[in-house]
Each structure stands twice: as structure tokens, then as C-alpha cells.
């Protein structure tokens, strides 16, 4: 299973799919074949592994998979049926598939006489697939909220200028985070004020191979001359003020991860709505003062109602500090 999780890590981070790995073992425990899912529309990990074997070579084997084999016809056929047809005798997987349209592969294989074992290294698989699993279970994208601020919590100077608060290393890390999410979310006010390109770029300014879909939230129209109009993936505007409805639209489009690089208003709305799954806070060793705080009203009227954070990690990026944190749900 550990090897299957390693194989799963080779799959693309973004896209409407889970990263899954599979290992086919002979009755004597030797490895017959390995596979992983290379993205939406490509063979699933089990089928990828079986494709490396001659017909009949998998008879009596054990398939070790990081996620319950699927039981539905999508862009590809059911993996449960592929394993049954291949003559696999035993299937070991880590966690059940949470999607009601996909779940059921285990029962189907058991009904066909296959010995099915689940829960092997389940905690490791849950951690590995955390973002995708949370998105499927909650019916909305995983949302990473990012901001860059001075040590006194300001995102701009008193005159509104904000470029650049952090150094080159922190800014490049942000571009890598953009490439690791399906979409990037900003408010229409940010588009009008900053005219961001919302692309993921490398050290030399080149476009990275993976680009997030820009999503503009708000009623104000995006100007025809705005940089986002020239984004290689186009952009999506979610008009209005209904945040849950906008997230539902994104989820139905197969978007499982969103990086929010919004201003204080939208950032605060995401936190206040309880949909900020992770915070990436880039802190520069500078003081700015002034009115432009990173977070506005999040519904804290008194100190007893303060929102507590759990710091997951701290990382030094040149002169800056990256704090990766989660909201402490046990106190909300």
C-alpha cells in the first residue's frame, strides 16, 4: 500500500479526479504490475496496472489500491468489473470512495467471489487525498485562502500601494500554489484595483504548464482591457453576492481546489462563512501601519469570540515567513 500511495503521487495534482495508485501482486507476493491514474479521461490506476499484463496473467493475484475501485461508467468503465474480469482473487484498498455515484465497487467484487479487504493504511490515504475527499464529501471545492501582509497585518500602505510586500521567494511560492489548484478566486474589486493576470509563472516569468481557472466573484464587470481577459484558460465570473451558490457552480464544473487571493472583503466572507479550509499567510518583516488590514469583519464582536488558528507549519522564504494554518473548528 505504501508503494501504491507513492505511485498515486505521480498523478496530476489538479483536475476532476482522485490521485490513485495500484499494485498487482502474484500469489507469492512478487510485484506483477503497477499503475496510477494520469488524469481525467485516462485509465484508472487498476486498469493502468492491468494493461501491463498479458491476458490471464492477473488470475489469482492480489490488487492493492489506494481508493475503493469504482463501480460506475464515466469516461472509463468500472474498475471493479475490470478486476473481476481479470480473475483477481483478492483486492486490498485503503479508503471507501465517498461519491455515491462511484461507491459500491467493494460490494460488487465481493458478490463476484473476490476477497475484499479495506482500511489498510487508511489514515495515510485520507491525509494524501484530504483536499479531494473534503470536496466530494462537502459538495464544494477545498478553499485555500492566501494573503501577503506586513508584520502588523497590513496588505497595502496608506496610499493603497502593495507591490511588493514580500520578496521574490515568497512570490514564486505563490505561483507554485496557483499551479497546484484548479482555480484562483478573486473579487471583482481586486480585478479593478490591481488588474492581476492570475497566471502561474516560473522564475523567469514564463507560464507554467498547469494554469488555474480564474474566477471573479462579484457584480462589477471585468473591463475589456483587463489582463485576466488574456488568461490562457479564459475566466469565469460568478455574479452576485451568494457565495455558497458560486462555490456550488465551481464544484459542478469539476473544480475541487480553489486558491483565494482576494482582498479583505472576500477573504473575510470566506472565513465568516466557514469555508476557508486552509490559510497561507505570507508575512514580511516590515511595518506599514494605516487602514488596509488583511482581514475585515469576520463576526468577532468580543475577545471571547475570537477565531483560533492551528498552525500547521512555518517556512522561511528568503526574508519572509509563510504560516500555514487551519481554523480550529473545535472552538467554533
Amino acid at each position: 500500500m505504501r508503494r501504491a500511495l507513492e505511485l498515486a503521487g505521480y498523478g496530476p495534482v489538479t483536475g476532476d479526479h482522485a490521485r490513485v495508485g495500484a499494485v498487482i501482486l502474484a500469489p507469492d507476493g512478487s510485484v506483477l504490475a503497477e499503475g496510477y491514474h494520469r488524469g481525467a479521461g485516462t485509465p484508472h490506476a487498476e486498469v493502468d496496472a492491468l494493461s501491463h499484463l498479458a491476458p490471464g496473467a492477473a488470475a489469482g493475484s492480489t490488487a492493492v489500491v489506494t481508493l475503493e475501485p469504482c463501480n460506475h461508467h464515466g469516461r472509463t468503465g468500472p474498475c471493479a468489473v475490470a478486476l473481476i474480469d481479470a480473475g483477481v482473487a483478492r483486492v486490498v484498498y485503503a479508503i471507501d470512495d465517498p461519491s455515491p455515484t462511484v461507491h459500491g465497487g467493494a460490494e460488487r467484487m465481493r458478490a463476484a467471489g473476490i476477497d475484499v479487504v479495506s482500511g489498510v493504511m487508511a489514515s495515510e490515504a485520507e491525509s494524501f487525498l484530504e483536499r479531494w475527499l473534503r470536496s466530494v464529501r462537502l459538495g464544494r471545492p477545498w478553499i485555500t485562502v492566501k494573503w501577503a501582509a506586513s508584520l502588523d497585518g497590513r496588505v497595502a500602505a496608506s496610499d493603497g500601494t502593495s507591490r511588493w510586500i514580500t520578496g521574490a521567494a515568497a512570490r514564486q511560492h505563490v505561483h507554485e500554489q496557483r499551479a497546484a489548484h484548479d482555480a484562483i478566486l478573486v473579487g471583482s474589486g481586486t480585478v479593478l484595483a490591481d488588474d492581476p493576470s492570475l497566471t502561474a509563472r516560473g522564475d523567469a516569468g514564463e507560464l507554467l504548464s498547469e494554469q488555474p481557472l480564474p474566477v471573479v466573484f462579484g457584480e462589477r464587470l471585468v473591463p475589456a482591457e483587463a489582463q485576466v481577459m488574456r488568461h490562457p484558460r479564459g475566466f469565469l465570473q460568478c455574479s452576485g453576492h451568494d457565495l455558497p451558490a458560486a462555490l456550488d457552480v465551481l464544484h459542478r464544473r469539476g473544480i475541487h481546489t480553489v486558491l483565494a487571493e482576494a482582498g479583505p472583503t472576500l477573504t473575510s466572507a470566506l472565513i465568516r462563512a466557514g469555508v476557508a479550509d486552509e490559510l497561507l499567510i505570507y508575512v514580511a518583516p516590515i511595518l506599514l501601519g494605516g487602514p488596509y488590514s488583511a482581514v475585515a469583519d469576520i463576526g468577532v464582536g468580543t475577545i471571547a469570540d475570537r477565531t483560533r488558528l492551528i498552525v500547521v507549519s512555518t517556512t522561511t522564504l528568503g526574508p519572509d515567513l509563510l504560516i500555514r494554518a487551519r481554523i480550529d473548528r473545535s472552538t467554533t
Side-chain angles (χ1 to χ4, degrees):
M1 186 64 76
R2 200 174 303 281
R3 173 58 179 164
L5 283 168
E6 181 182 351
L7 290 165
Y10 296 152
V13 175
T14 58
D16 187 15
H17 63 275
R19 291 195 291 169
V20 181
V23 179
I24 308 296
L25 301 175
D28 65 0
S30 61
V31 175
L32 291 174
E34 298 179 336
Y36 66 93
H37 191 199
R38 290 168 169 80
T42 65
H44 290 185
E46 304 93 316
V47 175
D48 182 44
L50 290 171
S51 70
H52 300 299
L53 298 175
S61 66
T62 295
V64 181
V65 193
T66 55
L67 184 67
E68 177 189 12
C70 67
N71 188 41
H72 82 308
H73 285 274
R75 297 180 184 179
T76 59
C79 293
V81 173
L83 293 168
I84 293 168
D85 291 345
V88 171
R90 189 168 188 248
V91 172
V92 178
Y93 69 89
I95 51 178
D96 292 333
D97 195 305
S99 174
T101 61
V102 176
H103 181 66
E107 290 82 354
R108 189 168 189 169
M109 291 184 297
R110 287 192 181 99
I114 294 178
D115 179 22
V116 179
V117 178
S118 64
V120 175
M121 292 186 63
S123 61
E124 290 87 344
E126 284 272 350
S127 178
F128 175 76
L129 284 174
E130 179 184 24
R131 296 182 176 192
W132 181 82
L133 288 169
R134 186 168 177 83
S135 174
V136 173
R137 288 166 178 165
L138 295 182
R140 65 161 176 83
W142 166 283
I143 299 180
T144 303
V145 176
K146 165 264 173 186
W147 67 78
S150 61
L151 198 57
D152 56 344
R154 299 301 188 269
V155 293
S158 294
D159 64 354
T161 56
S162 59
R163 296 184 180 179
W164 296 101
I165 288 178
T166 55
R171 296 199 300 272
Q172 186 53 43
H173 189 271
V174 171
H175 283 286
E176 293 166 3
Q177 291 302 305
R178 289 180 178 182
H181 287 75
D182 295 324
I184 179 169
L185 175 67
V186 297
S188 56
T190 295
V191 173
L192 294 174
D194 298 339
D195 190 25
S197 66
L198 303 181
T199 53
R201 301 184 297 277
D203 290 330
E206 76 281 7
L207 291 176
L208 299 179
S209 58
E210 297 294 333
Q211 292 291 327
L213 172 69
V215 178
V216 180
F217 180 72
E219 293 183 339
R220 285 177 283 184
L221 295 178
V222 176
E225 66 275 13
Q227 289 195 76
V228 72
M229 286 286 194
R230 300 187 294 276
H231 195 282
R233 290 194 61 186
F235 79 98
L236 172 68
Q237 179 149 16
C238 294
S239 300
H241 302 284
D242 191 338
L243 191 55
L247 298 181
D248 182 63
V249 168
L250 298 183
H251 190 262
R252 286 189 280 109
R253 289 175 65 103
I255 292 173
H256 290 284
T257 55
V258 171
L259 177 65
E261 290 194 46
T265 300
L266 182 51
T267 293
S268 302
L270 291 166
I271 295 173
R272 194 167 56 247
V275 296
D277 297 298
E278 187 166 71
L279 306 179
L280 294 181
I281 306 167
Y282 298 83
V283 182
I286 60 174
L287 300 175
L288 290 176
Y292 295 105
S293 61
V295 179
D297 179 20
I298 56 172
V300 177
T302 180
I303 192 68
D305 297 332
R306 62 194 180 276
T307 297
R308 294 183 181 273
L309 302 181
I310 299 171
V311 175
V312 177
S313 65
T314 57
T315 306
T316 301
L317 297 170
D320 307 312
L321 180 68
L322 168 60
I323 301 173
R324 186 183 296 267
R326 307 278 178 90
I327 293 174
D328 186 354
R329 304 294 182 190
S330 67
T331 63
T332 59

